[in-house]
Amino acid sequence: MSSIIQGVLPVLHTPLQADETIDRDVLQREIDWCYELGVDGICGAMVSEVLRLTYAERLELTRLMSEISDGRGAVIASVGAESTRQALEYARQAEETGCDAVMAIPPVTTALPEHALWNYFSALAEQCHLPLVVQDASSYVGQTLSIDFYRKLLDEYGPKKIFFKPEASPIGPNLSALRDATNGQAQIFDGSGGILLVDAYRRGICGTMPGVDLLDGIMGLWRALQADDDETIYRIYFPICAIVALQLQAGLDGFLAIEKYLLVKRGLFPSEQRCQPNAWDLDHETQAEVDRLFDLLIQAL
């Protein structure tokens, strides 16, 4: 492992051209902006639209993340898939392209019994040399993983190998339960988009994996949390919370629609192109509220 897996590790949004292929130049701009803000690394995950990219595009995204990052921070590739064989193929490519860790959700097309989940995650842990971030994204995709299941993985493979990104509700109490069940050994990341970051930080997380759209706000909030500066914490935190609350109402497509809108508004992306089809598009009234809240965030920063 060449980079430490901790701190602020944003999940990249995949910039797409009109034909829905990856725009490498825009991805370069996005990653450069992340490092200019002082992030500790970058990730691919659900809001990268990895489940909607073609097989070749998903491999391309991982390769480009590592290539463009060029040693500036940790690179974590998303490898969760519908079969163990698929996941291992993604994981092998992550190793070959120089990533620092992999992250996996359970398969999403079927609810697996615990022994099948164990076989899936243990295969990744044993056959991939990189650290593994075990992600429960069940608040919007996939299935819930139990605290006992997490503990067993940690007992078997250790805290240098296994990291956690638990997003099942209620997130805060689950973070504390995992922390306590592992005697504080579990290295846990917040994945709430920022809406629960203050609560999660005070429960002992080692880092956060937000989207890129509000990244300057998240960086300011993270630094204020480290400095125990409550006045700054809440000034920045409240507009972030309100924006993420609007994203949450439409699930994954709510995050994608608003986040890509904000990336265009910032001048980082030339278009809001997403992989089609989508369950929700940004309406004018929601957009107006996002604009108001975004202005408040910029003022707070």
Side-chain angles (χ1 to χ4, degrees):
M1 182 170 63
S2 60
S3 298
I4 297 173
I5 312 299
Q6 64 180 27
V8 180
L9 302 163
V11 177
L12 299 174
H13 305 283
T14 305
L16 300 173
Q17 302 183 83
D19 62 359
E20 298 186 20
T21 57
I22 297 172
D23 190 324
R24 191 224 186 270
D25 292 339
V26 177
L27 184 65
Q28 170 95 48
R29 184 159 67 239
E30 179 184 12
I31 292 173
D32 287 346
W33 188 66
C34 290
Y35 284 115
E36 287 166 10
L37 291 175
V39 302
D40 299 285
I42 55 174
C43 305
M46 296 304 98
V47 297
S48 307
E49 298 177 82
V50 292
L51 298 182
R52 297 173 179 177
L53 297 175
T54 67
Y55 172 77
E57 287 166 345
R58 190 164 173 180
L59 296 177
E60 180 187 9
L61 178 62
T62 296
R63 178 183 60 79
L64 288 172
M65 285 169 50
S66 182
E67 178 184 305
I68 296 170
S69 189
D70 194 26
R72 289 180 284 179
V75 177
I76 302 174
S78 175
V79 302
E82 292 310 293
S83 73
T84 304
R85 191 165 64 94
Q86 287 175 320
L88 288 171
E89 184 70 19
Y90 292 133
R92 277 190 287 271
Q93 191 244 4
E95 286 188 277
E96 291 168 1
T97 55
C99 292
D100 298 281
V102 296
M103 180 159 60
I105 61 168
V108 300
T109 55
T110 186
L112 296 174
E114 189 164 294
H115 74 272
L117 285 170
W118 179 266
N119 291 339
Y120 171 81
F121 281 110
S122 63
L124 280 168
E126 292 170 9
Q127 297 183 48
C128 176
H129 296 102
L130 300 176
L132 169 63
V133 182
V134 178
Q135 181 184 10
D136 176 343
S138 61
S139 57
Y140 52 93
V141 67
Q143 73 183 91
T144 300
L145 302 174
S146 71
I147 299 299
D148 188 54
F149 184 79
Y150 287 143
R151 183 186 56 76
K152 289 177 181 177
L153 280 172
L154 192 66
D155 288 346
E156 182 72 20
Y157 299 107
K160 292 184 179 180
K161 179 69 177 183
I162 302 294
F163 294 69
F164 302 98
K165 189 186 179 191
E167 299 174 61
S169 298
I171 291 178
N174 284 338
L175 294 180
S176 292
L178 176 55
R179 177 200 64 205
D180 295 345
T182 60
N183 296 315
Q185 287 193 313
Q187 300 188 74
I188 307 170
F189 287 91
D190 164 61
S192 69
I195 196 169
L196 296 173
L197 179 53
V198 173
D199 180 54
Y201 184 88
R202 290 172 174 158
R203 295 175 189 265
I205 58 171
C206 67
T208 183
M209 296 179 180
V212 175
D213 57 310
L214 304 176
L215 187 55
D216 47 359
I218 296 293
M219 290 301 301
L221 178 56
W222 185 258
R223 289 167 180 146
L225 285 163
Q226 291 178 314
D228 199 23
D229 178 359
D230 276 1
E231 181 180 349
T232 301
I233 287 169
Y234 290 105
R235 186 177 72 249
I236 298 172
Y237 179 52
F238 289 149
I240 290 175
C241 281
I243 293 171
V244 178
L246 292 174
Q247 295 171 345
L248 281 168
Q249 66 182 333
L252 180 58
D253 280 325
F255 277 96
L256 288 170
I258 294 175
E259 287 170 338
K260 285 201 165 180
Y261 168 74
L262 287 173
L263 288 168
V264 172
K265 185 179 178 73
R266 287 182 175 278
L268 288 169
F269 278 24
S271 85
E272 301 169 34
Q273 182 68 55
R274 294 174 284 157
C275 295
Q276 299 297 320
N278 302 117
W280 184 76
D281 294 308
L282 183 60
D283 63 278
H284 294 304
E285 290 169 294
T286 303
Q287 178 181 319
E289 184 63 14
V290 169
D291 288 340
R292 285 188 286 268
L293 293 167
F294 183 74
D295 288 343
L296 289 175
L297 175 60
I298 297 304
Q299 292 169 26
L301 293 173

